[in-house]
Amino acid sequence: MATLKFLSFIVVQLFLVAYNCEGVEVGFYKKSCPNVEAIVKETTKHYISVAPTLAAPLLRMHFHDCFVRGCDGSVLLNSTKGNKAEKDAIPNQSLRGFQVIDAAKSALEKECPGIVSCSDILALAARDAVSLINGPSWPVPLGRRDGRVSILSEASKKLPTPFDNFTTLKTTFGALGLTVKDLVVLSGGHTIGMSHCFSFSSRMYNFTGKGDMDPNMDQNYISHLKIKCKPGDVTTIVEMDPGSFKSFDTDYYTMVSKRRGLFASDAALLTNRQTKDYVLSQLNPHGSTFFKDFGESMVKMGKIGVLTGKAGEIRKHCAFRN
């Protein structure tokens, strides 16, 4: 009897795996909602044309979604009376651009109600945001479904931090099936956006707890940053890629090679032979493979832990479960 129960359990598990492994594919909505990509792009373009600085938060939102519970739109869910959601975790409190996702969802609900998931909209908006500020474009496999669970503590534990060393970064990315190359390529997303001073202040004022500076950061650059970022500053924001933070390009790798990456996690790329070689290989913009590599790593990241088939749901409103 026990053996029969065990075999029945195995059959059920295999059925669930088979049921859930349809995966994602380019053109998933070609029959059910053929204009999905055009609608998301038009919506994203509207917002980016008014506020180009929204591109970085939209890209970051997709990262943060995929790194916690997979790319299931859980980062979009609001907290409820009985549950604090990912959106309210400290690393996510600076996310912006939710209105872009909501506007695209609203337009798609009019065009093809109940068909397109919020997680797919986010994946498309991230791609479109990058391409609209002179970055690469890539084919986005679709067919994700939306998760029903979002837990603040999971985001706090699972997201990479600006303070991570290479070993921690490699472990975090590796746990999701991402390689060391994916790590250094996706770090290149720091070519756009802004950061609060507190994300790197310890490198300027108290690196080892003795009131010292990080020797792995260009000392002249630290002096420059200290003008903007005073000790204990929790409100000021600075450009992550000075002079180029609104344009997606290879300048991030130039900054890192000069020991001018803002974060300890940026500096960590110079502590490993493979990532350092990649950084240096991108310094000649005419020989750079970054755009191609970034698209490939984004596709790979976008497949992490996806819900397909009958798993999850298609939310009517991205901030709320059905």
Side-chain angles (χ1 to χ4, degrees):
M1 182 65 72
T3 303
L4 283 174
K5 283 184 178 178
F6 177 73
L7 288 173
S8 296
F9 173 78
I10 293 295
V11 170
V12 169
Q13 294 305 305
L14 288 172
F15 173 76
L16 288 173
V17 170
Y19 204 70
N20 229 356
C21 73
E22 296 169 39
V24 289
E25 60 179 309
V26 175
F28 179 84
Y29 297 109
K30 61 186 174 186
K31 292 182 180 178
S32 57
C33 193
N35 295 324
V36 57
E37 295 206 30
I39 290 171
V40 174
K41 185 166 188 176
E42 193 58 37
T43 304
T44 307
K45 184 178 180 181
H46 168 74
Y47 282 91
I48 297 295
S49 65
V50 176
T53 56
L54 273 178
L58 284 169
L59 177 60
R60 185 164 167 250
M61 193 187 298
H62 185 37
F63 282 167
H64 284 211
D65 184 35
C66 293
F67 270 73
V68 183
R69 290 189 166 266
C71 312
D72 68 344
S74 53
V75 75
L76 304 171
L77 286 170
N78 285 349
S79 292
T80 61
K81 189 174 181 180
N83 178 66
K84 286 288 186 182
E86 293 171 31
K87 191 184 283 188
D88 289 328
I90 289 174
N92 288 333
Q93 288 177 5
S94 57
L95 290 180
R96 297 183 298 123
F98 294 101
Q99 72 273 27
V100 181
I101 309 303
D102 291 339
K105 178 62 173 175
S106 179
L108 286 165
E109 284 300 300
K110 292 175 184 174
E111 175 87 5
C112 32
I115 298 296
V116 182
S117 68
C118 298
S119 46
D120 273 347
I121 293 170
L122 178 53
L124 287 169
R127 186 270 310 270
D128 294 338
V130 168
S131 67
L132 286 165
I133 56 167
N134 305 317
S137 186
W138 56 89
V140 178
L142 300 171
R144 300 167 189 79
R145 288 171 65 84
D146 298 321
R148 298 189 179 97
V149 178
S150 183
I151 302 171
L152 181 151
S153 61
E154 292 186 347
S156 300
K157 292 175 184 174
K158 295 181 179 180
L159 289 172
T161 79
F163 317 106
D164 289 345
N165 60 28
F166 177 78
T167 301
T168 302
L169 289 169
K170 182 180 178 181
T171 300
T172 302
F173 278 68
L176 299 172
L178 298 174
T179 65
V180 169
K181 182 179 180 182
D182 294 320
L183 158 60
V184 66
V185 169
L186 293 174
S187 295
H190 288 170
T191 186
I192 53 175
M194 312 282 286
S195 171
H196 284 88
C197 292
F198 63 75
S199 295
F200 55 90
S201 60
S202 63
R203 304 188 73 197
M204 300 183 292
Y205 293 109
N206 198 26
F207 187 60
T208 64
K210 299 177 181 177
D212 54 341
M213 297 184 292
D214 183 352
N216 297 314
M217 193 176 203
D218 179 82
Q219 304 300 291
N220 291 327
Y221 193 46
I222 288 180
S223 298
H224 168 74
L225 290 171
K226 281 184 172 181
I227 297 171
K228 297 181 179 180
C229 299
K230 304 303 179 184
D233 186 337
V234 296
T235 56
T236 303
I237 56 176
V238 298
E239 300 171 8
M240 293 175 69
D241 186 358
S244 177
F245 76 107
K246 292 182 184 178
S247 179
F248 200 95
D249 51 35
T250 60
D251 284 359
Y252 165 78
Y253 294 111
T254 302
M255 294 294 289
V256 170
S257 71
K258 293 179 177 179
R259 300 189 301 131
R260 292 189 170 196
L262 276 187
F263 302 147
S265 59
D266 295 326
L269 300 180
L270 296 180
T271 65
N272 170 267
R273 173 62 64 85
Q274 184 179 348
T275 53
K276 182 178 181 179
D277 285 349
Y278 187 86
V279 168
L280 298 177
S281 72
Q282 304 308 309
L283 299 187
N284 178 357
H286 300 295
S288 171
T289 59
F290 174 51
F291 276 26
K292 172 180 170 289
D293 295 338
F294 192 79
E296 291 174 354
S297 289
M298 285 296 291
V299 169
K300 191 172 177 182
M301 185 192 77
K303 294 180 178 180
I304 294 171
V306 294
L307 301 174
T308 59
K310 297 294 183 182
E313 64 185 13
I314 303 297
R315 286 183 215 141
K316 292 181 175 65
H317 301 281
C318 292
F320 306 97
R321 294 186 304 171
N322 291 347

